[in-house]
């Protein structure tokens, strides 16, 4: 699994309060990545209820906090066409409910 970040994501992440950054990272490292490793992206296992993941065309929305701060992140999931065939997550944006407008 490979990960990339857009400039927009980097800018958004730096704007988050430290507490919210930690909440996002916890959701990614403790729930999102293990789900990917188990094959949630292929349908082998369901996504954890802790994460609400929706597909909007080619972009996925991940809800990393339901209450305060209502945190969301947008990403794409692709598979490299090279020999490795590695899956690539590209983080597009991170923030709150209004992120879908970006």
């Amino acid at each position: 699994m490979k990960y990339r970040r857009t400039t927009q994501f980097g800018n958004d992440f730096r704007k988050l309060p430290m507490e919210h950054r930690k909440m996002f990272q916890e959701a990614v490292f403790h729930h999102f990545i293990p789900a990917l490793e188990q094959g949630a992206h292929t349908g082998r296992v369901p996504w954890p209820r802790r994460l609400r993941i929706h597909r909007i065309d080619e972009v996925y929305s991940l809800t990393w906090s339901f209450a305060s701060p209502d945190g969301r992140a947008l990403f794409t999931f692709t598979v490299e066409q090279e020999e490795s065939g590695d899956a690539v997550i590209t983080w597009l944006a991170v923030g709150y409910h209004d992120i879908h407008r970006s």
Side-chain angles (χ1 to χ4, degrees):
M1 185 78 50
K2 294 183 180 180
Y3 302 92
R4 298 182 181 135
R5 293 179 303 262
T6 63
T7 302
Q8 179 67 47
F9 178 87
N11 293 338
D12 292 345
F13 188 77
R14 284 188 293 279
K15 291 178 187 175
L16 292 176
M18 185 59 71
E19 176 186 344
H20 296 179
R21 290 183 203 177
K22 288 179 182 179
M23 291 172 73
F24 171 72
Q25 290 173 324
E26 181 179 311
V28 169
F29 291 115
H30 295 289
H31 303 283
F32 182 70
I33 292 174
L36 287 172
E37 290 171 346
Q38 294 176 12
H41 60 292
T42 65
R44 268 190 294 177
V45 298
W47 288 104
R49 289 187 182 180
R50 163 73 176 80
L51 304 176
R52 186 174 297 156
I53 297 185
H54 297 283
R55 186 171 181 178
I56 307 161
D57 295 321
E58 298 300 315
V59 175
Y60 291 83
S61 171
L62 174 146
T63 301
W64 49 269
S65 175
F66 292 103
S68 178
D70 190 22
R72 311 294 173 98
L74 301 177
F75 67 95
T76 60
F77 179 82
T78 57
V79 176
E80 287 188 338
Q81 298 301 316
E82 302 168 3
E83 291 177 26
S84 67
D86 287 339
V88 179
I89 299 294
T90 302
W91 293 105
L92 304 172
V94 63
Y96 308 110
H97 191 269
D98 62 351
I99 196 169
H100 296 286
R101 294 185 196 119
S102 58

